[in-house]
Amino acid sequence: RLAASQPLAAMFEKVVVIDAKNHLLGRLASIVAKEVLCGQRVVVVRCEEINISGSFYRNKLKFLDKLRKRTNTNPAHGPYHFRAPSRIFHRVIRGMIPHKTHRGKCALERLKCFDGIPEQYETAKRMVVPDAFRVTRLKPGRRYCVLGRISLEIGWKHKEAVDRLEAKRKERSAVYYEQKKALLAKTKAAKEAASGSFDATLAKYGY
């Protein structure tokens, strides 16, 4: 688990993979922004499962209102409104980073965001951030919505593809988990069988 209160120097790893499912958007973004600014490489997967506090309808109206904001004379000049959950999350983090400075640009290069879990990160150890969990931060009974559903409503076209690929990945991981359990059981049985004969011999010599 990745805690925001951890001393940053002790936390450095080559890459930290964070599973964004059931995390609150802003809280997770602020912690990730701080980490990339401090030099940590971060990969965020399953961005479509990120939660936002407040009802779905209220948040949808906010997003639709945001889509109206554009350059009047030439919309190609921006601002650009991304529809994919991973890009929306990336943009939230960008707003928390001085992205026009050299330091900020380097920080954003250390960040990767994905919808679903790409093949290269399937077997990587995935972290969670307890300080950004919805269940610990949002009062029970309060309304919340899922970023993937909002993206679908505002024009994201790849939800079905991501869901299909995620279903396949879960099947593969279930098979892997069963094989791993069987292997661990065999290893445990072999250790117990081997240790029985040695224990009596070691006991003789007072160990």
Side-chain angles (χ1 to χ4, degrees), residues 2-36:
L2 182 64
S5 54
Q6 263 182 301
L8 293 168
M11 200 218 76
F12 271 110
E13 292 174 33
K14 203 166 186 180
V15 178
V16 171
V17 181
I18 297 176
D19 187 352
K21 185 178 181 179
N22 294 332
H23 288 70
L24 287 172
L25 179 75
R27 286 179 180 273
L28 180 62
S30 63
I31 291 165
V32 171
K34 186 67 177 173
E35 294 304 330
V36 293

Side-chain angles (χ1 to χ4, degrees), residues 26 46 142 204:
R46 290 214 280 187
R142 296 292 190 203
K204 251 196 312 189

Side-chain angles (χ1 to χ4, degrees), residues 91-203:
R91 180 63 185 259
V92 171
I93 293 171
R94 198 191 83 166
M96 300 178 179
I97 285 174
H99 66 96
K100 292 187 180 183
T101 64
H102 179 69
R103 175 172 170 254
K105 280 176 187 169
C106 292
L108 275 180
E109 283 171 10
R110 292 184 208 111
L111 173 68
K112 288 181 182 176
C113 301
F114 295 101
D115 301 314
I117 302 178
E119 203 171 337
Q120 65 264 40
Y121 299 112
E122 263 184 41
T123 53
K125 185 173 182 178
R126 296 192 286 277
M127 305 288 187
V128 295
V129 184
D131 286 355
F133 260 156
R134 187 198 77 243
V135 287
T136 55
R137 286 295 167 185
L138 211 57
K139 190 178 177 183
R142 296 292 190 203
R143 291 177 181 178
Y144 68 92
C145 61
V146 180
L147 182 59
R149 189 181 167 198
I150 289 176
S151 290
L152 183 66
E153 296 274 335
I154 62 172
W156 183 41
K157 295 186 176 72
H158 304 294
K159 187 177 189 306
E160 282 182 18
V162 169
D163 289 346
R164 191 172 66 249
L165 290 166
E166 277 294 281
K168 283 182 182 176
R169 179 190 66 78
K170 283 171 185 172
E171 283 174 19
R172 287 197 299 272
S173 67
V175 170
Y176 166 76
Y177 183 60
E178 290 303 320
Q179 288 173 344
K180 186 181 177 183
K181 276 203 299 188
L183 185 65
L184 286 171
K186 274 185 185 175
T187 308
K188 189 181 176 185
K191 276 183 182 175
E192 284 172 359
S195 65
S197 56
F198 289 122
D199 286 348
T201 311
L202 288 169

